[in-house]
Amino acid sequence: MHVFVSLETDCWYSVRLKGQEALFPALLVDSFPGDTMNGAPVDLSFKNISKLTDALMEEPKSSLRPLKRNAEGKYISCSLRLSNNSITDLCDLQKTVSHFLAEPSHLAWLDLSFNQISHIDQALCKMHELRVLYLHGNNIYSLSELDRLGALPHLHSITLQGNPVETNKTYRNRVISALPQLKTVDFSAVTQQERVLAKLWHQGNSRSKRSEKRV
């Protein structure tokens, strides 16, 4: 199942499933694989944000699950939604997370889908508690960018469809090989057979590179 959230109203999301447009209640979209963290997400989607520092001036959108704040006014949540903006880089991600979340080091669910991100910034790789990462609908071209995500030991779900990197024939093998702990890729469960194939692909690719060096 391929899910692309493209439009939001007060209580409904417009979602494309295999090319078909359909409306789903916001709570149902929030229950899609990966969005199972405690507390409502801090929702900064559709805010016309081009730089993450712009987000600091924004108020999160209200949802059917009210956000709670601590005594300092920060949100008690481990989920952050920044989808459907025009973000190009993530260098200020730590500042943004710390601005909104009461426990920034506990960020576990991050939605960066439908932006203009082309590079996996080191700031993202420092989110060591991250479990779920949505990056679909961006501009990531190079498979080597994904290797940096190996610094996230708890990451178990990622989406990358709709990026130029998806057109590479070895795309899924490379993702599973680089991040062997993944349980789902692009909303599709990683099977044992895929794990074995990814491991074989990685071994074959490593041998090929060693042979090229000797030549």
Side-chain angles (χ1 to χ4, degrees):
M1 178 177 70
H2 296 293
V3 179
F4 295 88
V5 179
S6 57
L7 176 65
E8 183 188 20
T9 62
D10 289 340
C11 298
W12 297 81
Y13 285 92
S14 175
V15 177
R16 289 202 307 277
L17 301 176
K18 296 183 178 179
Q20 299 296 315
E21 196 84 15
L23 285 174
F24 285 81
L27 280 180
L28 179 57
V29 173
D30 282 346
S31 69
F32 281 156
D35 194 0
T36 57
M37 306 304 168
N38 291 330
V42 176
D43 191 349
L44 296 163
S45 61
F46 296 94
K47 292 285 189 177
N48 198 30
I49 297 167
S50 57
K51 296 184 296 183
L52 282 174
T53 49
D54 296 340
L56 306 184
M57 307 299 294
E58 299 287 347
E59 280 293 318
K61 303 169 78 171
S62 58
S63 71
L64 297 181
R65 289 185 289 170
L67 284 167
K68 297 180 181 179
R69 295 178 186 248
N70 66 4
E72 297 176 347
K74 296 192 176 184
Y75 296 101
I76 302 172
S77 175
C78 56
S79 306
L80 180 62
R81 178 177 283 137
L82 285 159
S83 59
N84 293 275
N85 285 295
S86 302
I87 299 166
T88 57
D89 70 73
L90 302 172
C91 60
D92 291 309
L93 181 61
Q94 181 63 59
K95 183 187 296 184
T96 305
V97 173
S98 297
H99 177 81
F100 287 102
L101 301 190
E103 297 284 351
S105 64
H106 292 175
L107 179 68
W109 186 95
L110 180 61
D111 185 354
L112 292 164
S113 61
F114 297 106
N115 279 287
Q116 297 175 21
I117 298 164
S118 60
H119 173 66
I120 303 297
D121 194 273
Q122 187 62 31
L124 178 58
C125 301
K126 292 179 179 178
M127 302 293 161
H128 297 302
E129 293 300 315
L130 203 60
R131 266 74 170 166
V132 178
L133 177 61
Y134 290 170
L135 283 167
H136 53 277
N138 275 284
N139 294 325
I140 299 172
Y141 284 85
S142 174
L143 282 169
S144 63
E145 289 287 326
L146 307 179
D147 294 339
R148 298 189 175 101
L149 296 175
L152 303 175
H154 304 294
L155 187 68
H156 64 68
S157 182
I158 193 170
T159 61
L160 289 157
Q161 73 264 44
N163 282 273
V165 72
E166 186 189 19
T167 62
N168 191 297
K169 292 180 180 180
T170 64
Y171 159 70
R172 194 169 171 93
N173 278 339
R174 179 64 180 271
V175 174
I176 298 170
S177 173
L179 306 167
Q181 78 278 16
L182 288 177
K183 296 179 181 178
T184 67
V185 176
D186 295 336
F187 300 108
S188 175
V190 177
T191 65
Q192 184 58 36
Q193 182 180 14
E194 284 181 314
R195 294 187 194 281
V196 171
L197 290 174
K199 185 176 181 179
L200 291 173
W201 174 86
H202 176 73
Q203 292 172 345
N205 192 52
S206 297
R207 284 195 296 269
S208 176
K209 287 182 178 179
R210 287 196 296 270
S211 296
E212 289 176 2
K213 288 181 180 180
R214 284 197 293 270
V215 171

